[in-house]
Amino acid sequence: ALGGQVLDYGRGYRVNLLDLGAMGEAADRIGGERGEALRALAIARSVEAITTQVQIVRRSPVTDWEQTLLTTAAWDLDRAHLQPTGTRKAAPTLADLVRLLHSPTEAMQTAILTDDASAYADLTTGLRRSLQAVLEGPLGKMFDGQSTARLAVDTPMVSVDVSAVSRQSESVLSSAMLASWSEMFSTIEAANAL
């Protein structure tokens, strides 16, 4: 009635943590250095959202080199989804990230100073297991796949409904609240950039 949007977590609502959303779209529209700076901020936000989910599942922090690896992987996925026409394919998903972490690019191996595939595999086992736990655990339903809805840049108000997940574990509720916060602030920044 008032023209707002509702984020209804727990009722089939999914958030793709690698979808750059309104910030990615604004970066494409703006172009040039300003657009690239906004894309870099969007990717940093995406990586932060992913590391937050890993930390919730793990109950321990993500290390500096893991953050570096996830950032490099997110950039690799972003570039891989750019088509020759300049448009973008559907956003990569958390499952795409997990697959990429199992078959890293040279840039990913270089980013964490591993000399070969065996050293990379040994070093990244814990991170790959943690991301798999996000996908396979109770958070997977919320974060595996494409976003079911996106906030519009011109939305005058947003209601976040976490009632369906409020009866679940503290981890699920925390994840939903943090993901909604991240999406809302990214949309606000995109609106301000335009």
Side-chain angles (χ1 to χ4, degrees), residues 99-115:
R99 278 191 292 280
L100 182 59
L101 288 171
H102 282 281
S103 302
T105 63
E106 187 176 321
M108 291 166 60
Q109 289 186 37
T110 300
I112 60 169
L113 306 176
T114 54
D115 296 325

Side-chain angles (χ1 to χ4, degrees), residues 27-120:
D28 289 341
R29 282 181 54 194
I30 293 168
E33 286 182 25
R34 272 188 63 224
E36 278 304 307
L38 189 59
R39 178 163 296 285
L41 181 58
I43 288 176
R45 286 275 174 84
S46 173
V47 170
E48 191 61 37
I50 293 164
T51 59
T52 299
Q53 301 311 320
V54 169
Q55 290 175 148
I56 288 171
V57 166
R58 249 187 208 178
R59 298 190 183 273
S60 65
V62 168
T63 65
D64 55 349
W65 66 265
E66 289 174 322
Q67 180 95 19
T68 299
L69 177 60
L70 290 169
T71 300
T72 304
W75 276 105
D76 284 349
L77 285 168
D78 184 65
R79 283 188 287 272
H81 281 74
L82 181 62
Q83 299 184 68
T85 60
T87 59
R88 295 189 180 275
K89 301 176 198 172
T93 64
L94 214 47
D96 294 327
L97 176 62
V98 168
R99 278 191 292 280
L100 182 59
L101 288 171
H102 282 281
S103 302
T105 63
E106 187 176 321
M108 291 166 60
Q109 289 186 37
T110 300
I112 60 169
L113 306 176
T114 54
D115 296 325
D116 57 46
S118 177
Y120 170 89

Side-chain angles (χ1 to χ4, degrees), residues 4-9 151 155-162 180 184:
Q5 276 185 269
V6 176
L7 300 180
D8 195 1
Y9 284 89
L151 287 177
T155 296
M157 69 183 85
V158 176
S159 172
V160 179
D161 182 0
V162 294
S180 65
M184 285 187 288

Side-chain angles (χ1 to χ4, degrees), residues 5 7 13 19-26 38 45 149-156 158 179-194:
Q5 276 185 269
L7 300 180
Y13 183 80
D19 186 343
L20 303 183
M23 283 182 84
E25 289 174 3
L38 189 59
R45 286 275 174 84
R150 292 168 107 190
L151 287 177
V153 175
D154 59 351
T155 296
V158 176
S180 65
W181 175 87
S182 178
E183 186 172 355
M184 285 187 288
F185 276 90
S186 292
T187 304
I188 291 167
E189 287 199 53
N192 290 338
L194 294 172

Side-chain angles (χ1 to χ4, degrees), residues 10-15 134-146 148 168:
R11 292 188 176 93
Y13 183 80
R14 263 191 327 274
V15 176
V134 171
L135 281 176
E136 299 295 328
L139 303 180
K141 290 178 184 170
M142 229 185 313
F143 300 120
D144 187 21
Q146 295 298 334
T148 51
Q168 295 183 33

